[in-house]
Amino acid sequence: MNPVCFCQLYSDCVKRINYDVPYLSMDSRELFQRALKIFPKGVNSPVRFYEPYPVYFSRASGSRIFDVDGNEYLDFSMGFGANFAGYGNTEILEEIMEYLGNPLPEGVPTENEIVMGELIRNAVPSIEMMRFVNSGTESTMHAIRLARGYTGRKLILKMAGGFHGSHDYVLVEAGSGAMTFGIPSSRGIPEEVGKTVLVGKFNNVENIEDIFRRHGNDIAAVITEPVLGNMGVIPPEKDFLKFLREITTRYGSLLIFDEVITGFRFHYGAYQDLIGVRPDITTMGKIIGGGMPVGLFGGSEEIMKNISPSGNVYQSGTFSANPYTMASGIATLHFLKKSDYNPTIELARWIEDKLEPYKDLGVRVNRVYNMFTVFFSSHEVSDYESAKKCSIPMFTEFFKNLLRNGIYLSPGQFETSFIGMAHTPEEVEMAAFKMAYALEYDLNVSGNKIQ
Ligand SMILES: Cc1ncc(COP(=O)(O)O)c(C=O)c1O
């Protein structure tokens, strides 16, 4: 797209903005007033809140979401990464309808769960057996209990800024909303529980070695996202994950990869197979449910046999392997299996390239395949410490500016944005220009170099 053409398009969008209201959506303000009376801060998950009130959405199609006033946004959050194939993907919907021809019973075994389980097992060799649950939170909670039950050890080592959901064992120096809202270690968690969780530094071999030297024989498992996605995107440094594999094996601890974000995102399978590191337990969620609530934890037969009723590590759930979720998951995986992931990666690279000139001005894009975060920092962002130094106010201004211009990033400096199968080159090119324009003219990063 040539710059003249872009300027015309940009000024067209600017014209439709009413600067008297913070966003395009007026009706959202009214809905928020109602929501405030029934939900804490008006929301059902903290990361959905932003000042002065979140935009309320009523419809989605492809890569687009529509607010309650009918305004259209290009969505780079895609349900915090839950949707990858595009909203209302007709091929997927048609297949789901085949499975849902009859009303399905719930809370009983069905063939759907076997079909879905076989798809996962065939795509991810380390997952010989698995259990389906209903969220990423549940998956890591059970994975941790399983690791403790299997090893007979108490301690868990997680990474500072790593996020694995909102149960007690992982809300210690956690990322995502816990970091944005300044409560990385939640109140309400008994001290005794906190004492069973050690916190290490991602990408820091010496730090992890030191922790293992002191506690190695008591560590049941290391749990980490292989690519951090909840401090914004932070890639693993070369061989860091191999090192985790090596040190956990040496001390008889398990390695848990939380692939709730990365599972089936970069190719048809898990991230672990792209880097050749086989964890003992894997957790997944988001994409594999095709928009329905889902999670899974799985690993070798030897480890998974410890789950009840074949073993004595208890786990259960009324909605586990819910047949509707399974139908949605099967259709989504069938679609992804024959899809080309390369365009999603190429388009994310465009955004990175377009914003590259702003790096010296303190705007840096961390990207891994098709995941990206725009950080406001003059330093490289490679761990918890460097992530904490980023400018949240600058990100917030950027986010809101884009929102007014019809682009929806994941709302938070420590969140990840995603390119999915439904994003088109034209959309992403336009979005990249709008981002550059916002940095240049609205945030004036050239005039106010970020420290
Ligand atoms: C890596 C990771 N693990 C676990 C979770 C928790 O998943 P859920 O929100 O489905 O409980 C998340 C949520 O964003 C996540 O990013």
Side-chain angles (χ1 to χ4, degrees):
M1 186 185 298
N2 74 44
V4 177
C5 168
F6 164 69
C7 284
Q8 181 57 47
L9 281 168
Y10 188 85
S11 62
D12 285 351
C13 346
V14 170
K15 264 188 236 143
R16 60 187 182 109
I17 296 171
N18 174 357
Y19 278 103
D20 294 339
V21 292
Y23 316 128
L24 300 174
S25 177
M26 295 289 286
D27 290 346
S28 291
R29 186 161 42 189
E30 281 166 34
L31 288 178
F32 184 62
Q33 292 311 320
R34 278 169 60 195
L36 269 178
K37 297 192 180 106
I38 41 179
F39 308 124
K41 202 77 178 174
V43 289
N44 280 288
S45 184
V47 283
R48 294 182 200 168
F49 175 78
Y50 42 87
E51 296 285 358
Y53 53 84
V55 173
Y56 281 72
F57 294 94
S58 58
R59 194 163 66 81
S61 172
S63 57
R64 307 290 177 127
I65 49 178
F66 300 82
D67 70 26
V68 284
D69 296 75
N71 300 301
E72 184 176 330
Y73 304 76
L74 179 61
D75 186 7
F76 286 122
S77 181
M78 300 302 284
F80 286 98
N83 187 301
F84 185 59
Y87 300 113
N89 180 311
T90 42
E91 210 177 313
I92 294 178
L93 285 181
E94 275 167 21
E95 191 178 336
I96 293 176
M97 291 321 289
E98 283 171 28
Y99 297 107
L100 303 185
N102 297 312
L104 296 170
E106 293 172 66
V108 293
T110 66
E111 187 176 351
N112 282 358
E113 68 198 36
I114 301 174
V115 176
M116 177 75 177
E118 286 170 348
L119 285 169
I120 301 276
R121 192 182 58 184
N122 291 338
V124 186
S126 75
I127 304 183
E128 293 168 4
M129 282 188 150
M130 72 207 81
R131 267 282 162 87
F132 286 111
V133 290
N134 300 294
S135 66
T137 297
E138 269 186 73
S139 70
T140 62
M141 182 177 76
H142 293 305
I144 285 175
R145 185 182 304 144
L146 174 60
R148 286 180 164 142
Y150 177 76
T151 58
R153 299 175 179 183
K154 250 193 220 163
L155 299 181
I156 294 295
L157 172 56
K158 76 175 282 289
M159 303 297 146
F163 185 73
H164 307 287
S166 55
H167 61 84
D168 286 4
Y169 288 114
V170 288
L171 272 184
V172 182
E173 290 197 36
S176 187
M179 200 163 157
T180 307
F181 296 108
I183 40 168
S185 300
S186 171
R187 285 193 64 188
I189 297 175
E191 216 182 305
E192 294 75 9
V193 172
K195 282 188 185 147
T196 65
V197 183
L198 305 168
V199 180
K201 296 183 179 171
F202 192 71
N203 281 338
N204 188 328
V205 169
E206 293 75 35
N207 169 262
I208 303 293
E209 262 172 354
D210 182 49
I211 293 174
F212 264 92
R213 259 193 303 275
R214 287 183 284 126
H215 304 283
N217 295 328
D218 297 318
I219 294 177
V222 172
I223 182 166
T224 187
E225 303 162 76
V227 175
L228 297 193
N230 288 287
M231 283 195 277
V233 175
I234 297 192
E237 278 170 14
K238 191 174 175 304
D239 292 341
F240 179 69
L241 299 172
K242 284 195 177 120
F243 156 75
L244 288 184
R245 176 65 287 177
E246 184 278 314
I247 197 160
T248 44
T249 307
R250 188 163 15 120
Y251 281 88
S253 314
L254 300 188
L255 179 61
I256 305 172
F257 276 174
D258 180 354
E259 297 226 33
V260 165
I261 288 183
T262 53
F264 290 86
R265 185 170 305 282
F266 310 137
H267 75 134
Y268 183 78
Y271 177 74
Q272 56 195 256
D273 293 310
L274 293 174
I275 50 157
V277 177
R278 191 179 170 115
D280 300 295
I281 302 177
T282 300
T283 58
M284 287 194 182
K286 300 204 190 247
I287 287 180
I288 62 165
M292 297 287 280
V294 78
L296 78 76
F297 63 103
S300 67
E301 196 177 325
E302 184 198 324
I303 294 174
M304 289 302 292
K305 272 184 165 166
N306 290 276
I307 290 289
S308 55
S310 58
N312 50 17
V313 176
Y314 197 71
Q315 181 278 332
S316 68
T318 302
F319 289 106
S320 293
N322 179 278
Y324 295 93
T325 302
M326 296 293 103
S328 171
I330 294 166
T332 300
L333 292 186
H334 281 159
F335 176 81
L336 294 182
K337 191 166 187 187
K338 55 186 172 56
S339 298
D340 181 6
Y341 280 70
N342 286 322
T344 65
I345 297 160
E346 188 57 26
L347 294 183
R349 190 176 293 127
W350 283 12
I351 291 180
E352 185 183 21
D353 290 349
K354 183 72 194 163
L355 302 191
E356 171 69 25
Y358 299 95
K359 198 168 175 177
D360 288 343
L361 302 171
V363 182
R364 49 187 68 237
V365 177
N366 276 16
R367 177 186 69 84
V368 174
Y369 295 101
N370 47 29
M371 292 166 52
F372 68 94
T373 299
V374 181
F375 283 112
F376 289 85
S377 170
S378 55
H379 306 283
E380 194 185 335
V381 184
S382 58
D383 55 18
Y384 188 57
E385 295 309 318
S386 48
K388 276 200 302 191
K389 288 185 189 140
C390 294
S391 170
I392 295 178
M394 287 293 275
F395 175 85
T396 305
E397 214 179 317
F398 183 61
F399 167 77
K400 287 187 184 168
N401 187 288
L402 292 176
L403 198 60
R404 283 195 292 264
N405 284 289
I407 294 180
Y408 188 76
L409 294 180
S410 284
Q413 175 66 105
F414 306 116
E415 303 297 338
T416 293
S417 290
F418 305 94
I419 307 284
M421 296 278 179
H423 291 98
T424 67
E426 292 72 26
E427 288 172 339
V428 173
E429 184 162 22
M430 178 61 167
F433 270 112
K434 283 185 181 180
M435 288 179 197
Y437 195 99
L439 292 173
E440 194 66 65
Y441 297 104
D442 298 309
L443 277 76
N444 187 18
V445 289
S446 303
N448 311 306
K449 190 169 178 234
I450 295 158
Q451 298 307 311

